[in-house]
Amino acid sequence: MLAARDLTKEYPSGTGALAVLKDVSFDIPQGAFVAIVGPSGSGKTTLLGLLAGLDLPSRGAVTLDGVDLTRLDEDGRARLRGEKVGFIFQSFQLIPTLTAVENVQVPLELRGEADAADRAQDLLARVGLSGRTHHYPTQLSGGEQQRVAIARAFVNRPRILFADEPTGNLDGATGEKIVALLDALNRESGATVVIVTHDLTLAEHAQRVIRLRDGVVIEDRPGRGAPSPV
Amino acid sequence: MPSPALAPLLRLAWRESRTARRRLLLYMSSISLGVAALVAIDSFASNVQVSIEAQSKALLGGDLNLRARDGFTPAIDSLLDSLGTVGIPSAKVQSFGSMAIVPRTGATRLSQVRAVGEGYPYYGEVLTEPAGAWGSLHDDRNAFVDPSLMISLGAQVGDTLNVGFARFVIRGRIVNVPGDPGIAGTVAPRIFIPARYLAETQLTGFGSRVEHEVVVRLPEGTDATAWVAPFKTRFDSLGVRVRTVQENEVDLTDAIAQLARFLGVVGLIALLLGGIGVASGVNAFVQRKIDTVAVLRCLGASSAQVLVIYLVQAGAMGFLGAALGAALGVGIQLLLPELLTGFLPVDVSVTPVPSAIALGIGIGVWVAIVFALRPLLVLRLVSPLQAIRRDDAALAASRRGDHWSWAVDLALLGSVFGLAALRAETLAQGAWFTAGILISLGILYGNASLVARLARRLSSPRWPYVVRQGIANLYRPASQTRSVILALGFGSFLVTTNILVQANLLQSFDVTASAARGNLVFFDVQEDQQPGLDSLLRQPGNDVVTTTPIVTMRLQEINGQSTQAWAEAKGLSPRYWALRREYRSTYRDTLEATETITAGRFHGAAAATDTLYEFSFEEDVARDLQLTVGDIVTWDVQGVPVRARLTSTRQVEWGRFQPNFFAVFQSAAIAAAPKQFILVAAVPSDTAVALLQRDAVRRYPNVSSIDLSLIRNTITQIVDRVTLTVRFLALFSLAMAVPVLFSAVAATRRDRLREGVLLKTLGATKGQIGRILLSEYALLGLLGALSGMLLAFGGAWSLTHFVFQGDFAPALGPAAAIAGVMMGLAIGIGLLTGRDVFRETPMAALRE
Ligand SMILES: Nc1ncnc2c1ncn2[C@@H]1O[C@H](COP(=O)(O)OP(=O)(O)OP(=O)(O)O)[C@@H](O)[C@H]1O
Ligand SMILES: [Mg+2]
């Protein structure tokens, strides 16, 4: 379970503090598939960063499975991410100097796990890339790179997965496939998935849609992916 | 599209450089130390040469210097007299070693006595203290002495000084003698006395070793070389060697030029290493500029304009880097005289040399531009499409097909050769330099590639992830392995070479000083003085360690032919020194520890029935004379012919404090001949040494003695100076590696930063990222140091083995220390460059 309580993020600006997020609160139960939508500049990326413990809020708290992230130091948050959190980025963010399989191994290796290579191979197969394991990122297409990134995100069996515009750099059809893959993995693994997107059709895959505007939650409703309320 | 004027382009170049100026300057500062070295060396060499030219007459003391091999014969004296009558004055300078004693204190010391004629020196000035006292030398039995002699004898101005049987009054100290380097008086301090009282010393008779010289002053405006020409044969027949002021000057300036050339090559290599730093730094710079260039191209800039913009930036910063280097070079130039005091024969007035500065900056800018051009060329190929979607693969592909990069490579090679040729004496030498530079760089580069490949092979999955990741960084595409290892390898190559040379040099000094078993040496001991001196020395606690006889002789016949005929038959010059010289030989029937037989067998004692005696020759002399074992040589031993068969040749380890000889005879052969002795005594205390020296000189004024601890002190002083110089050079080499290393590491800085931030989002702690960096840079440092050392050990070994023919001592302790320093340097610079990784929050990964 992930909970945001009165999250506020301010950046210093010329005229004083500029609040980018204002008192955002919500709970996300384990296993949910949530989409965060909103116009550009509304604070989606900022919110995601706070939820994942990449950054600290000015006020408020984020608790992940009962642990308050704001009370951990940077290394503590890093360790927590290593154990429980997976990431997917708009620009894929594969390490260019590592091959596909090596990229997928990284989170396990940071934790010192021995069977990293096997599990990485399995996951690459799961995302349909068993034939590309020893390619470097530059030798892969955008869609393939993002699938490697998804494999990497799931490799440490995360409790929760964050994705910021995972389809932003991809064409519509490829984007659809990526979200379908995320959806499937969400069901298979029971991991919570939080995805930020512009694309409302993609957002409708989610069970729940949270809409931001100017740093405030203006809508929080079930999506089409939600089990029908009947 | 019409090409716009240059001015707006320059303005754009200036504005566009806004964010990167300091970084670019940092890369360009790679060449600064190379430029500094060139400027310092060239400027100082020019200073020295100018000083030599200005002081050339003072260096010689006159327009001509005549050296009479066999002393001043009546014929020579009458020649000098007749020259005097036509207005060409001359002054004799006769020098020899002798004991000096100050009766008031009773202290003695071996000195270098110079009896000089009136008028000496004709040019330059002997500086004394009290100042201006030199002119009073000839007024009476006066003497001027080195300050070190005053100190060791406890003497004061006004004291009486005994030299042989003559008494002089010390009128002052010598501050500076033109033509003598400052250290000239350290082993044997100088004593100047008037020539006309030389005879009173009674030290110039039989068996003494006196150097007879004359300085001559020609009328003003006379060309010494032209004046001497008609006298050449006359002087030759008198046994007089002539040296003109021009010859002296040319010899000295040649020696300086040679030294400057050699050092210049080091500077050049430093500069080229800097060039590599520039190339890798600019490469990093180019990677960041691709997006900007793509935008510029979208806005209508031609590829030529793009290149101009960045070439201008590189050139400007290159100029700044070179100018910084030149300023540093001038600073070093000012420091050099400090480092070299005492070793230079002239007083050098240090002034900046504009031509050297201009040349240094010019070469620096050229190297910076040529090396920067290689990576900058890529910017021409950036297509405007890159602004929409960055495509590194396409860029790399078009780069491979770019003919211009070949042209630049050629220009690079040409520049290296051109610069080497500029430094070298001949084109062939320039080609050798180029080859040498390319080979050393090639070896380092090869090592680096090998390391990258080995890293991939050896890395084991069982090692901790952070270590594996660190090692993996060594062989990933776009790794910095090659440039870092090149920089570190080269730095450690220079440092190690310095230290090895120093260690081996000092070691040979050490051997020299410790090998002597005694500590007090007496020489010029006449035959009738030996028993008396021996019993004087053999007091309780003292011991006479060796008594070595010396018999002087000349060659007379070889295999029954006169030396003249032998020379003709063997094609030797009849004036050949080895044929005509006086040999100081000894006799004994056993080999010394410093000698090794290279041919034949060393003779034993002669049997009573032997009719032909045996002797052994030093191998080089034997080879020069074309003598082989079995040849029969007749020696003229002070008028008595002695026939002996050459039965062995020896290699002799010179340079130890121990009498060594070219020819060693069977005892029976020459034991009866007139001879002198060298006695080496072991005397325990300093006071006993001083007392013995005093007693000996009182009883036997012609006998010289030297306290070896004095020599050891002198050697220690010289060694200290060498050590200081080596430290300076080592520091310089290390300093040189730093900017290059920065540039090399900077090339991958951005990738590293992005990667580090990403790893953080994936759960890596600061500690883990730190350890990845640490293992990578520690390994790079170690491998870089090792490759440099490989080169240095190889070089030093072949140098000691082939050139000095000595034993090579690998200085492992210092080598380990250097490896440590290199690792520290690599880790330090790596972490310093990577410090942003620690600062950056992982949020940055989301904002990419
Ligand atoms: N470091 C910062 N300093 C100041 N303001 C910032 C900083 N980072 C973000 N902002 C501001 O916060 C606001 C929200 O930014 P954020 O990136 O979260 O928006 P977003 O919803 O992700 O937009 P987009 O859909 O365009 O990615 C923006 O107005 C941005 O200018
Ligand atoms: Mg965003």
Side-chain angles (χ1 to χ4, degrees):
Chain A
M1 156 116 158
L2 177 72
R5 282 286 161 278
D6 303 328
L7 277 184
T8 299
K9 181 71 182 178
E10 289 166 350
Y11 285 112
S13 81
T15 54
L18 171 76
V20 180
L21 282 180
K22 295 161 203 148
D23 297 319
V24 173
S25 299
F26 51 73
D27 290 341
I28 297 177
Q30 183 59 40
F33 189 156
V34 179
I36 298 176
V37 297
S40 183
S42 56
K44 305 182 294 292
T45 298
T46 308
L47 177 60
L48 197 74
L50 294 179
L51 294 178
L54 298 180
D55 204 357
L56 287 177
S58 309
R59 280 187 301 282
V62 178
T63 44
L64 178 58
D65 290 343
V67 178
D68 185 351
L69 295 187
T70 56
R71 287 173 185 276
L72 296 175
D73 66 2
E74 202 191 313
D75 278 351
R77 297 199 303 277
R79 266 185 227 105
L80 189 83
R81 277 198 300 275
E83 283 166 27
K84 298 196 167 172
V85 180
F87 261 103
I88 299 168
F89 307 91
Q90 175 174 357
S91 50
F92 321 137
Q93 297 279 22
L94 296 179
I95 298 177
T97 55
L98 302 184
T99 60
V101 65
E102 287 168 339
N103 261 291
V104 176
Q105 273 167 253
V106 168
L108 293 180
E109 304 211 276
L110 286 172
R111 280 162 33 176
E113 279 183 28
D115 64 339
D118 296 342
R119 178 144 170 78
Q121 292 282 5
D122 291 349
L123 264 160
L124 278 177
R126 173 66 192 83
V127 300
L129 286 177
S130 45
R132 295 278 191 281
T133 49
H134 293 297
H135 285 56
Y136 284 99
T138 50
Q139 299 167 328
L140 297 171
S141 76
E144 287 167 340
Q145 287 189 48
Q146 195 60 302
R147 276 187 278 160
V148 173
I150 290 172
R152 182 175 70 186
F154 277 98
V155 78
N156 60 345
R157 299 186 178 86
R159 300 270 296 154
I160 184 160
L161 184 110
F162 293 101
D164 189 9
E165 306 272 13
T167 61
N169 280 354
L170 302 171
D171 61 70
T174 313
E176 278 286 347
K177 281 187 203 145
I178 291 294
V179 174
L181 182 60
L182 283 176
D183 194 10
L185 285 167
N186 163 248
R187 288 174 212 279
E188 286 168 26
S189 65
T192 311
V193 172
V194 179
I195 133 173
V196 163
T197 182
H198 272 118
D199 189 330
L200 291 179
T201 50
L202 287 182
E204 291 309 325
H205 281 270
Q207 303 160 1
R208 178 176 166 192
V209 178
I210 296 175
R211 184 179 301 274
L212 285 183
R213 181 180 292 154
D214 296 334
V216 180
V217 177
I218 55 163
E219 185 184 19
D220 189 344
R221 61 168 172 85
R224 238 179 270 146
S228 53
V230 183
Chain B
M1 190 185 84
S3 101
L6 199 58
L9 208 57
L10 293 183
R11 208 157 45 230
L12 179 60
W14 170 246
R15 285 202 205 113
E16 202 283 327
S17 70
R18 207 169 272 149
T19 53
R21 257 170 241 160
R22 271 180 39 213
R23 187 164 300 279
L24 200 53
L25 182 59
L26 179 72
Y27 302 149
M28 289 301 177
S29 71
S30 297
I31 58 163
S32 296
L33 280 173
V35 172
L38 286 184
V39 168
I41 293 161
D42 287 354
S43 303
F44 191 67
S46 151
N47 287 163
V48 174
Q49 283 176 351
V50 166
S51 306
I52 288 175
E53 273 162 38
Q55 300 166 43
S56 60
K57 290 184 173 182
L59 285 174
L60 204 62
D63 295 287
L64 296 178
N65 171 296
L66 311 181
R67 189 177 289 245
R69 199 178 47 227
D70 304 315
F72 295 119
T73 56
I76 296 176
D77 281 335
S78 78
L79 175 65
L80 294 177
D81 283 346
S82 50
L83 284 177
T85 57
V86 297
I88 297 177
S90 54
K92 288 180 179 171
V93 180
Q94 299 178 79
S95 340
F96 54 94
S98 167
M99 298 308 283
I101 177 166
V102 169
R104 183 174 63 78
T105 60
T108 60
R109 179 157 179 196
L110 177 64
S111 313
Q112 187 186 340
V113 181
R114 292 199 196 162
V116 299
E118 271 182 72
Y120 169 88
Y122 288 120
Y123 302 101
E125 215 183 328
V126 177
L127 297 181
T128 57
E129 202 224 291
W134 177 254
S136 69
L137 176 71
H138 297 279
D139 295 352
D140 200 348
R141 290 178 178 78
N142 292 337
F144 286 92
V145 305
D146 262 319
S148 59
L149 186 70
M150 308 271 287
I151 293 166
S152 58
L153 297 186
Q156 298 158 358
V157 172
D159 271 342
T160 302
L161 178 78
N162 294 4
V163 177
F165 289 97
R167 283 151 187 272
F168 298 90
V169 176
I170 300 176
R171 290 294 173 204
R173 298 176 180 79
I174 299 162
V175 177
N176 185 37
V177 178
D180 276 4
I183 58 163
T186 29
V187 174
R190 294 162 293 188
I191 298 176
F192 283 88
I193 57 169
R196 79 192 131 106
Y197 301 114
L198 173 61
E200 289 184 10
T201 63
Q202 300 181 29
L203 292 173
T204 54
F206 169 78
S208 62
R209 271 166 298 163
V210 183
E211 229 174 68
H212 306 273
E213 287 174 273
V214 189
V215 291
V216 178
R217 190 179 67 191
L218 299 176
E220 229 188 292
T222 314
D223 176 23
T225 315
W227 185 88
V228 156
F231 288 92
K232 267 272 183 299
T233 45
R234 178 95 184 271
F235 281 132
D236 266 357
S237 67
L238 290 172
V240 171
R241 246 196 56 182
V242 187
R243 216 174 150 65
T244 63
V245 69
Q246 286 96 335
E247 285 166 339
N248 199 42
E249 185 185 316
V250 167
D251 284 359
L252 279 174
T253 46
D254 274 2
I256 298 288
Q258 192 84 32
L259 190 66
R261 254 199 301 278
F262 172 72
L263 291 176
V265 172
V266 177
L268 200 60
I269 294 178
L271 199 60
L272 294 177
L273 181 70
I276 292 170
V278 166
S280 51
V282 170
N283 191 37
F285 173 78
V286 161
Q287 296 308 318
R288 322 173 105 203
K289 288 298 179 188
I290 286 177
D291 296 337
T292 312
V293 170
V295 172
L296 283 174
R297 298 277 279 132
C298 285
L299 300 179
S302 72
S303 62
Q305 285 175 328
V306 165
L307 191 63
V308 166
I309 288 174
Y310 290 101
L311 257 184
V312 164
Q313 291 184 3
M317 290 303 146
F319 177 79
L320 263 182
L324 276 176
L328 188 66
V330 172
I332 295 174
Q333 178 201 0
L334 296 178
L335 275 177
L336 279 179
E338 204 65 37
L339 213 58
L340 295 173
T341 31
F343 287 99
L344 293 169
V346 281
D347 306 321
V348 180
S349 48
V350 182
T351 47
V353 181
S355 63
I357 294 173
L359 186 69
I361 293 182
I363 292 179
V365 172
W366 175 250
V367 167
I369 287 182
V370 172
F371 277 85
L373 199 56
R374 185 84 173 68
L376 281 181
L377 276 183
V378 175
L379 292 178
R380 280 168 40 253
L381 307 173
V382 174
S383 94
L385 264 182
Q386 294 264 354
I388 300 164
R389 191 152 193 285
R390 176 126 176 210
D391 187 354
D392 288 339
L395 194 59
S398 58
R399 188 177 193 174
R400 272 191 292 278
D402 186 15
H403 295 300
W404 278 99
S405 68
W406 281 100
V408 171
D409 284 348
L410 233 93
L412 267 174
L413 203 65
S415 304
V416 173
F417 177 70
L419 292 174
L422 195 71
R423 285 271 138 196
E425 219 164 354
T426 62
L427 266 162
Q429 252 185 35
W432 277 113
F433 284 162
T434 313
I437 290 167
L438 291 183
I439 287 172
S440 4
L441 292 182
I443 289 178
L444 286 176
Y445 192 84
N447 265 355
S449 306
L450 195 72
V451 161
R453 230 173 297 148
L454 277 184
R456 164 175 253 151
R457 280 277 192 79
L458 296 183
S459 183
S460 153
R462 269 167 309 167
W463 296 349
Y465 168 72
V466 290
V467 174
R468 254 184 310 136
Q469 175 70 36
I471 293 175
N473 282 344
L474 296 183
Y475 61 81
R476 298 305 182 189
S479 76
Q480 58 193 348
T481 308
R482 285 181 182 87
S483 40
V484 170
I485 287 196
L486 219 53
L488 281 174
F490 209 79
S492 73
F493 168 53
L494 290 186
V495 179
T496 313
T497 307
N498 271 327
I499 304 241
L500 285 178
V501 167
Q502 183 203 19
N504 282 285
L505 203 71
L506 298 195
Q507 177 185 272
S508 67
F509 270 124
D510 214 38
V511 168
T512 312
S514 62
R517 278 161 298 157
N519 60 337
L520 186 55
V521 182
F522 292 87
F523 38 96
D524 297 339
V525 181
Q526 302 303 308
E527 211 165 351
D528 55 341
Q529 298 170 326
Q530 186 262 332
L533 184 61
D534 194 82
S535 58
L536 177 72
L537 294 179
R538 286 187 199 277
Q539 290 165 10
N542 301 350
D543 192 17
V544 175
V545 184
T546 55
T547 303
T548 311
I550 296 175
V551 179
T552 56
M553 53 182 70
R554 287 177 195 275
L555 285 172
Q556 190 173 355
E557 282 177 12
I558 298 172
N559 290 341
Q561 290 177 293
S562 71
T563 50
Q564 210 92 18
W566 176 262
E568 271 163 37
K570 294 288 181 182
L572 305 172
S573 155
R575 294 169 43 83
Y576 201 49
W577 176 74
L579 278 172
R580 291 159 59 114
R581 62 166 293 173
E582 184 181 73
Y583 285 88
R584 300 166 68 83
S585 310
T586 193
Y587 53 86
R588 61 178 136 82
D589 300 326
T590 51
L591 208 58
E592 294 273 326
T594 52
E595 300 170 321
T596 334
I597 296 296
T598 54
R601 245 188 50 229
F602 194 74
H603 53 258
T609 54
D610 283 354
T611 51
L612 189 62
Y613 297 113
E614 301 176 28
F615 80 105
S616 171
F617 229 162
E618 195 268 337
E619 62 168 348
D620 290 337
V621 185
R623 193 180 330 111
D624 288 352
L625 292 172
Q626 304 205 12
L627 288 173
T628 45
V629 169
D631 285 339
I632 294 176
V633 179
T634 308
W635 295 86
D636 169 5
V637 182
Q638 294 154 56
V640 180
V642 172
R643 260 161 57 89
R645 184 192 297 277
L646 177 66
T647 53
S648 66
T649 59
R650 292 157 15 260
Q651 194 175 34
V652 179
E653 206 177 301
W654 305 100
R656 293 208 181 182
F657 285 128
Q658 154 163 0
N660 282 314
F661 300 90
F662 286 124
V664 177
F665 284 76
Q666 235 168 2
S667 304
I670 54 172
K675 54 189 163 289
Q676 300 175 10
F677 291 93
I678 294 178
L679 270 72
V680 180
V683 181
S685 77
D686 285 353
T687 40
V689 166
L691 283 177
L692 271 178
Q693 281 186 295
R694 194 188 61 196
D695 291 350
V697 77
R698 283 209 173 127
R699 230 188 279 177
Y700 312 111
N702 67 298
V703 172
S704 295
S705 61
I706 187 153
D707 179 355
L708 286 189
S709 64
L710 261 178
I711 297 206
R712 278 187 203 131
N713 288 344
T714 309
I715 288 178
T716 315
Q717 276 175 22
I718 294 175
V719 164
D720 285 349
R721 195 72 74 76
V722 172
T723 311
L724 190 71
T725 313
V726 169
R727 294 235 169 97
F728 177 76
L729 287 176
L731 210 67
F732 188 83
S733 322
L734 264 184
M736 206 164 70
V738 171
V740 181
L741 209 55
F742 257 114
S743 303
V745 171
T748 58
R749 178 175 169 274
R750 257 161 75 86
D751 292 342
R752 227 149 264 283
L753 199 65
R754 189 189 283 173
E755 205 170 295
V757 168
L758 184 62
L759 282 173
K760 274 184 172 179
T761 64
L762 297 180
T765 60
K766 283 181 191 172
Q768 283 178 313
I769 290 172
R771 266 172 284 153
I772 290 175
L773 287 178
L774 200 70
S775 53
E776 176 181 356
Y777 286 108
L779 209 62
L780 274 178
L782 185 68
L783 294 171
L786 285 184
S787 359
M789 269 173 218
L790 200 75
L791 216 58
F793 275 92
W797 179 82
S798 39
L799 211 67
T800 40
H801 192 77
F802 295 118
V803 182
F804 302 121
Q805 309 201 329
D807 294 328
F808 174 65
L812 291 178
I818 295 168
V821 170
M822 285 294 160
M823 275 172 72
L825 207 62
I827 292 170
I829 288 180
L831 293 185
L832 202 65
T833 315
R835 69 189 184 283
D836 290 347
V837 180
F838 301 106
R839 256 196 246 133
E840 200 83 64
T841 70
M843 229 8 230
L846 282 186
R847 302 253 175 236
E848 266 286 330

